[in-house]
């Protein structure tokens, strides 16, 4: 099996606020191999975006990080601002939720594509234009020569997300972070963009971390899944294993919240209760106040990760007899 391209070890990202220290990412470990699509799932506010922004160090300077983020074997937490900027422009890229605001309204799409190339590759202006056209063609934008002259407002939301995907993948990154890339788009366009991601993975071998509320998308597209709750990964495993035999009561609750056939696709439906305040997590299992199977030990002691089969772990005391990893 290929070596991981990304290995995150005990990553914490704590954010000072007026209310106190928000433990948005709190001891997260996982790895991603080249060409793998890893889904990140969990309710709103559980730290998914903070995890992505931590990986590329795009949080305010006040953010406190600890742990290691090994990308191609090098710790990103030890990199300078300049080094991170270079990595972000080329080797680890992002596609975010809102294509409406992610493009600069005052420059044409062509200028924005050429700008990326200017920073990252040694090319003549003519070469940059040819390459920009090629980048648009790769994401199936019709008449790319004409589209280069468009301003963002002349494009639909789906078209803009294609342009952003072209920008994020045109330099063949090793890792693409996609944080709810299709939430703002209608269903048909969503499908096209997600199809594009799968194609990019197949063609370029790019690893993708895909944050999404849509468990149907996870099941179709992701090789593995990280289930996040209150800043921590509480279950991981291969996608089918997670869907067929969820091991953590929170994962079960999430899967039970999937809208049934015929119901309108929505964000995750509410699970009774709320996620805990990340400025003051209880000492025990953070899901305990909502968990139908909570026991005495759950109130006092945070569960370690218990092995639940090859590549599978769950942080839940129900699996204590199996032994911690
Ligand atoms: N810059 C920041 N400063 C302080 N707190 C922050 C900051 N960014 C995020 N948070 C807090 O960190 C926690 C995790 O937020 P995050 O945006 O990572 O969640 P999320 O899982 O991406 O949620 P959603 O599904 O709504 O996008 C929340 O409590 C949020 O209020
Ligand atoms: S550790 Fe206890 S409270 Fe937490 S999910 Fe498992 S059974 Fe529920
Ligand atoms: Mg988010």
């Amino acid at each position: 099996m290929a070596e991981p391209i990304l290995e995150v070890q005990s990553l914490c990202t704590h954010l000072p606020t007026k209310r106190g220290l928000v433990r948005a990412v709190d001891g997260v470990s996982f790895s991603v191999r080249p060409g793998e699509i890893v889904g990140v799932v969990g309710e709103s506010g559980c730290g998914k975006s903070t995890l992505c922004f931590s990986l590329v160090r795009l949080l305010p300077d006040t953010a406190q990080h600890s742990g290691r983020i090994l990308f191609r074997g090098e710790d990103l937490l030890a990199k300078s601002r300049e080094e991170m900027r270079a990595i972000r422009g080329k080797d680890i890229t992002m596609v975010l939720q809102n294509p409406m605001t992610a493009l600069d309204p005052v420059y044409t799409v062509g200028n924005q594509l050429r700008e990326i190339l200017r920073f990252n590759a040694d090319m003549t202006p003519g070469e940059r234009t040819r390459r920009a056209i090629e980048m648009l063609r790769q994401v199936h934008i019709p008449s790319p020569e004409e589209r280069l002259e468009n301003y963002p407002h002349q494009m639909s939301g789906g078209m803009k997300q294609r342009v952003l995907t072209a920008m994020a993948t045109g330099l063949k990154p090793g890792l693409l972070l996609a944080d709810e890339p299709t939430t703002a788009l209608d269903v048909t366009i969503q499908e096209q963009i997600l199809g594009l991601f799968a194609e990019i993975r197949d063609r370029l071998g790019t690893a993708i971390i895909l944050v999404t509320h849509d468990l149907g998308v996870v099941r179709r597209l992701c090789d593995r899944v990280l289930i996040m709750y209150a800043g921590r990964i509480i279950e991981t495993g291969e996608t089918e294993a997670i869907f067929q035999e969820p091991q953590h009561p929170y994962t079960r609750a999430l899967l039970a919240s999937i809208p049934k056939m015929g119901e309108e696709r929505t964000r995750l439906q509410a699970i009774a209760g709320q996620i805990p305040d990340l400025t003051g997590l209880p000492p025990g299992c953070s899901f305990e106040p909502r968990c139908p199977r909570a026991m005495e030990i759950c109130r006092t002691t945070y569960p370690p990760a218990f092995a639940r089969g090859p590549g599978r772990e769950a942080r839940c005391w129900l699996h204590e007899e199996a032994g911690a990893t």
Side-chain angles (χ1 to χ4, degrees):
M1 215 177 267
E3 285 292 300
I5 187 166
L6 178 75
E7 208 172 337
V8 176
Q9 298 172 347
S10 307
L11 176 67
C12 291
T13 300
H14 295 169
L15 304 158
T17 65
K18 287 202 187 83
R19 291 187 306 114
L21 198 61
V22 175
R23 295 171 193 273
V25 175
D26 203 32
V28 159
S29 300
F30 66 96
S31 59
V32 180
R33 283 187 289 273
E36 221 183 359
I37 304 186
V38 175
V40 181
V41 175
E43 284 164 292
S44 186
C46 69
K48 305 177 300 292
S49 296
T50 308
L51 173 61
C52 290
F53 286 118
S54 300
L55 297 180
V56 283
R57 305 258 312 276
L58 273 179
L59 286 164
D61 285 342
T62 52
Q64 302 166 5
H65 297 290
S66 64
R68 302 214 292 171
I69 302 170
L70 300 174
F71 179 70
R72 302 194 197 277
E74 292 184 32
D75 189 0
L76 299 185
L77 287 180
K79 299 275 180 201
S80 69
R81 231 177 241 270
E82 289 308 307
E83 288 170 319
M84 274 320 294
R85 195 169 299 149
I87 291 170
R88 278 198 300 267
K90 195 169 176 186
D91 218 9
I92 307 180
T93 53
M94 290 188 97
V95 179
L96 301 176
Q97 179 170 349
N98 197 339
M100 313 306 158
T101 55
L103 287 166
D104 194 324
V106 301
Y107 295 103
T108 63
V109 161
N111 275 337
Q112 297 186 55
L113 285 167
R114 282 187 289 257
E115 190 68 6
I116 291 181
L117 295 170
R118 196 167 69 81
F119 268 113
N120 292 292
D122 196 14
M123 291 179 175
T124 64
E127 283 167 345
R128 283 201 288 272
T129 298
R130 277 192 294 279
R131 183 66 189 279
I133 291 169
E134 182 55 30
M135 282 160 81
L136 292 183
R137 194 167 283 133
Q138 296 285 358
V139 295
H140 311 300
I141 290 184
S143 321
E145 294 84 355
E146 289 158 37
R147 284 297 188 178
L148 274 192
E149 306 311 320
N150 278 181
Y151 287 89
H153 75 263
Q154 294 170 299
M155 293 185 151
S156 65
M159 197 64 86
K160 278 189 269 208
Q161 197 63 310
R162 270 169 207 262
V163 170
L164 289 165
T165 306
M167 286 179 165
T169 57
L171 294 163
K172 305 186 174 51
L175 177 64
L176 174 69
L177 307 176
D179 188 359
E180 302 200 44
T182 60
T183 308
L185 305 172
D186 75 43
V187 178
T188 352
I189 310 294
Q190 276 185 24
E191 292 297 323
Q192 292 171 7
I193 299 287
L194 293 168
L196 199 54
F197 282 5
E199 198 185 308
I200 283 160
R201 183 268 298 271
D202 294 344
R203 184 157 44 85
L204 305 177
T206 304
I208 301 176
I209 294 180
L210 177 65
V211 175
T212 175
H213 281 91
D214 190 330
L215 292 163
V217 165
V218 170
R219 193 162 195 175
R220 271 185 294 133
L221 215 58
C222 298
D223 302 300
R224 281 191 302 124
V225 190
L226 315 176
I227 310 282
M228 274 189 93
Y229 188 74
R232 294 157 173 167
I233 294 174
I234 52 89
E235 179 163 0
T236 62
E238 291 190 359
T239 306
E240 268 317 295
I242 297 247
F243 275 82
Q244 285 181 17
E245 283 183 278
Q247 300 288 310
H248 194 288
Y250 178 63
T251 314
R252 286 205 195 100
L254 276 184
L255 293 178
S257 73
I258 299 178
K260 303 289 175 296
M261 284 282 282
E263 284 177 14
E264 197 187 336
R265 264 211 251 181
T266 52
R267 291 166 81 85
L268 291 177
Q269 283 163 17
I271 300 169
Q274 284 182 336
I275 64 164
D277 180 354
L278 299 182
T279 59
L281 286 176
C285 171
S286 32
F287 192 54
E288 184 270 328
R290 304 166 78 184
C291 180
R293 302 192 59 186
M295 305 167 283
E296 192 49 41
I297 189 174
C298 308
R299 263 179 282 282
T300 56
T301 319
Y302 185 67
F306 294 107
R308 302 303 298 152
R312 291 214 65 188
E313 284 178 12
R315 285 185 180 270
C316 171
W317 285 116
L318 292 170
H319 303 300
E320 188 179 12
E321 75 289 356
T325 56

